[in-house]
């Protein structure tokens, strides 16, 4: 029977072949004689205590092998395609408190890798592979500004190490999801949507009042964010630039605020004046995957980060089939940003401040969809009610207030 992993009974069975395919994709991008060496995450203590934070594996390590235990290493021999997992050799006393210790054979069956060794055998095994180069992971996360953890171990200086080749290749592979990865993401988004609908029932009534319509001058106007969530997925398809998607959403927001009497003037002039950055100070969305803000936004071969209000975009890439992204336009009434705009003649002229000041303290609205870019367009992976009609129909079926 094929090896799988799940979160427990009734949850998705994730095939270990998903990670085998990822390793094959990676090896196809590399050269004979190279060996990839990755170091997984370690347990982290609560300050000076003997209690650990809940462990979450490093994402690149997960992508290549799916291993969930701390303190591990992984090597991929490009010449043979063989996967070597290295696990900690735990003391026998561990079994007294934590249950039966797994042996190398157990780990080999669980993770469907070719070889399993103990970490204290790492140097010896790597020498036996006789690599021309060890490829380690080292590169910047353009969201956090932090650097990926490069593998280190005693004896690494005995090898020729290349820490420049791997990062861009493996990050780009994470951007484009395989069919197996897409199935996992469909499942996760479906579970999240169901949970949102179930837990949101007590608060959907104010949700209608605050996010779908607003009282403006005694008349009801459709608010802009819902419109943006409809426009953007229709525009998303391979070849479209993400920064253009962002501006499309911003223009829709500004047009609706004009209709509501909060803004005045030409929308293109508002964009030129940076007004869209006052009302939506974040980007339209981000790549989605093993990390919430997934990698690959500004790799060397990608468009650079834009200037001005668009500098907050987490990517400015051209959309490709197989990408999964969030589309989450928003509109906010943030006092500090409004004050700055009111004191800036180039921006202040676009606002009706009598109307706008009524919404100081309101906060803001953001509505998110998680979408897959397909060969022909987009597949929305999020299933929650959006419109007044959809929400009221949902509430009529099982609401805990009537």
């Amino acid at each position: 029977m094929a090896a799988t992993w799940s979160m427990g009974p009734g949850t998705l069975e994730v095939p270990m072949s998903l990670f085998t395919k990822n390793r094959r994709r990676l090896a196809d991008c590399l050269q004979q004689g190279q060996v990839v060496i990755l170091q997984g995450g370690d347990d982290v203590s609560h300050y000076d205590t003997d209690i650990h934070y809940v462990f979450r594996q490093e994402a690149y390590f997960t992508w290549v092998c799916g291993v969930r235990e701390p303190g591990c290493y992984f090597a991929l021999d490009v010449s043979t395609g063989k996967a070597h997992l290295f696990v900690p050799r735990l003391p026998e006393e561990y079994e007294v408190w934590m249950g039966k210790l797994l042996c190398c054979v157990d780990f080999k069956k669980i993770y469907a890798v070719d070889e399993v060794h103990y970490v204290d055998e790492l140097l010896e095994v790597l020498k036996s592979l006789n690599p021309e180069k060890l490829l380690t992971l080292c590169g910047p996360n353009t969201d956090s500004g932090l650097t990926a953890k490069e593998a280190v171990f005693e004896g690494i200086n005995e090898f020729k190490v290349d820490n420049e080749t791997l990062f861009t290749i493996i990050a780009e592979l994470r951007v484009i999801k395989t069919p197996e990865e897409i199935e996992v993401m469909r499942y996760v988004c479906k579970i999240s949507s169901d949970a949102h609908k179930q837990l949101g029932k007590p608060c959907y009534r104010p949700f209608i009042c605050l996010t779908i319509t607003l009282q403006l001058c005694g008349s009801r106007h459709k608010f802009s964010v819902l419109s943006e969530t409809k426009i953007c997925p229709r525009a998303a398809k391979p070849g479209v630039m993400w920064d253009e998607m962002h501006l499309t959403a911003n223009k829709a927001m500004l047009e609706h605020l004009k209709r509501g009497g909060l803004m005045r003037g030409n929308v293109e002039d508002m964009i030129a004046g940076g007004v869209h950055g006052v009302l939506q100070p974040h980007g339209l969305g981000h790549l989605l995957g093993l990390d919430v803000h997934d990698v690959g936004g500004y790799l060397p071969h990608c468009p650079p980060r834009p200037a001005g209000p668009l500098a907050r975009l987490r990517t400015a890439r051209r959309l490709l089939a197989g990408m999964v992204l969030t589309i989450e336009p928003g509109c906010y009434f943030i006092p500090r940003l409004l004050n700055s705009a009111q004191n800036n003649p180039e921006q202040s002229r676009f606002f009706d401040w009598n109307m706008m000041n009524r919404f100081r303290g309101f906060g803001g609205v953001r509505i998110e969809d998680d979408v897959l870019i397909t060969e022909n367009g987009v597949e929305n992976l999020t299933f929650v009610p959006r419109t007044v009609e959809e929400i009221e129909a949902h509430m009529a079926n099982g609401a805990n207030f009537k």
Side-chain angles (χ1 to χ4, degrees):
M1 186 173 66
T4 62
W5 175 84
S6 77
M7 294 291 288
T11 62
L12 181 69
E13 297 280 341
V14 178
M16 290 297 104
S17 58
L18 180 155
F19 306 102
T20 303
K21 177 180 280 191
N22 284 346
R23 295 194 290 272
R24 191 178 305 122
R25 294 169 67 204
L26 178 58
D28 288 343
C29 297
L30 301 174
Q31 298 177 6
Q32 299 287 310
Q34 296 175 332
V35 171
V36 174
I37 180 71
L38 297 178
Q39 183 175 356
D42 293 312
D43 272 326
V44 177
S45 297
H46 285 251
Y47 304 104
D48 61 346
T49 75
D50 61 352
I51 304 300
H52 293 144
Y53 287 98
V54 175
F55 179 71
R56 181 181 184 273
Q57 185 60 271
E58 197 277 332
Y60 286 102
F61 200 83
T62 297
W63 183 87
V64 81
C65 62
V67 172
R68 303 182 298 279
E69 286 77 13
C72 298
Y73 287 78
F74 177 85
L76 174 64
D77 186 346
V78 176
S79 297
T80 64
K82 281 192 173 183
H84 297 259
L85 173 63
F86 299 84
V87 298
R89 193 190 298 270
L90 299 174
E92 292 182 2
E93 185 187 28
Y94 186 94
E95 192 166 275
V96 175
W97 310 107
M98 303 302 292
K100 188 179 186 311
L101 288 173
L102 296 178
C103 66
C104 290
V105 173
D106 296 323
F107 282 110
K108 184 175 180 178
K109 290 179 181 178
I110 292 170
Y111 293 116
V113 292
D114 299 292
E115 302 288 345
V116 178
H117 320 271
Y118 290 111
V119 170
D120 56 34
E121 300 172 310
L122 178 60
L123 180 60
E124 177 186 349
V125 173
L126 288 179
K127 284 182 176 181
S128 73
L129 299 180
N130 193 29
E132 295 176 18
K133 282 185 182 179
L134 285 186
L135 302 185
T136 58
L137 186 72
C138 184
N141 183 302
T142 53
D143 290 310
S144 68
L146 303 175
T147 301
K149 180 180 180 179
E150 187 174 1
V152 292
F153 57 89
E154 188 174 348
I156 192 172
N157 293 333
E158 299 180 33
F159 300 91
K160 185 175 181 180
V161 177
D162 175 351
N163 68 355
E164 297 179 353
T165 298
L166 183 62
F167 179 81
T168 300
I169 292 172
I170 195 170
E172 183 65 16
L173 289 171
R174 282 180 58 182
V175 170
I176 307 301
K177 307 306 191 273
T178 64
E180 293 83 357
E181 290 173 322
I182 290 168
E183 280 305 303
V184 174
M185 299 198 75
R186 283 196 183 103
Y187 173 82
V188 170
C189 290
K190 177 62 166 58
I191 294 297
S192 299
S193 296
D194 289 347
H196 182 88
K197 288 187 287 187
Q198 185 64 30
L199 296 175
K201 285 180 179 178
C203 61
Y204 260 125
R205 189 70 65 186
F207 176 83
I208 295 173
C209 298
L210 293 177
T211 70
I212 306 302
T213 60
L214 294 174
Q215 289 287 343
L216 303 176
C217 297
S219 62
R220 294 171 71 84
H221 296 262
K222 289 286 184 182
F223 196 50
S224 62
V225 178
L226 183 63
S227 174
E228 291 177 79
T229 63
K230 293 181 178 179
I231 291 172
C232 293
R234 288 199 297 265
K237 59 183 178 181
V240 172
M241 300 299 294
W242 186 248
D243 54 343
E244 294 176 4
M245 288 271 296
H246 177 91
L247 289 175
T248 296
N250 283 177
K251 290 173 185 178
M253 170 186 65
L254 294 170
E255 287 287 0
H256 279 267
L257 292 176
K258 275 184 62 177
R259 295 175 198 172
L262 283 82
M263 310 294 294
R264 56 185 172 223
N266 181 273
V267 167
E268 293 294 339
D269 291 340
M270 295 182 202
I271 296 290
V275 171
H276 53 315
V278 175
L279 297 165
Q280 185 185 314
H282 61 77
L284 177 61
H286 50 82
L287 293 162
L288 193 63
L290 283 169
D291 290 316
V292 174
H293 300 145
D294 213 26
V295 297
Y298 291 104
L299 294 173
H301 64 280
C302 300
R305 188 181 295 275
L310 271 63
R312 297 189 179 96
L313 267 65
R314 296 183 184 272
T315 187
R317 293 185 62 149
R318 189 179 301 277
L319 296 181
L320 300 171
M323 286 179 170
V324 178
L325 307 99
T326 68
I327 293 179
E328 43 183 310
C331 181
Y332 309 85
F333 305 93
I334 301 171
R336 179 177 292 274
L337 297 181
L338 292 176
N339 292 341
S340 178
Q342 194 165 12
N343 292 325
N344 180 346
E346 291 301 312
Q347 295 182 337
S348 183
R349 62 193 176 98
F350 295 111
F351 292 82
D352 184 319
W353 290 107
N354 288 329
M355 290 291 294
M356 186 62 66
N357 287 336
R358 295 174 58 182
F359 292 93
R360 289 178 182 267
F362 169 79
V365 176
R366 181 167 73 229
I367 300 177
E368 177 175 336
D369 287 299
D370 300 335
V371 303
L372 165 68
I373 306 301
T374 67
E375 294 290 347
N376 301 312
V378 66
E379 176 187 340
N380 195 333
L381 306 178
T382 303
F383 300 95
V384 294
R386 295 286 195 233
T387 66
V388 172
E389 294 76 17
E390 290 170 347
I391 293 171
E392 289 184 339
H394 174 67
M395 295 305 304
N397 180 21
N400 57 7
F401 63 91
K402 288 186 178 180

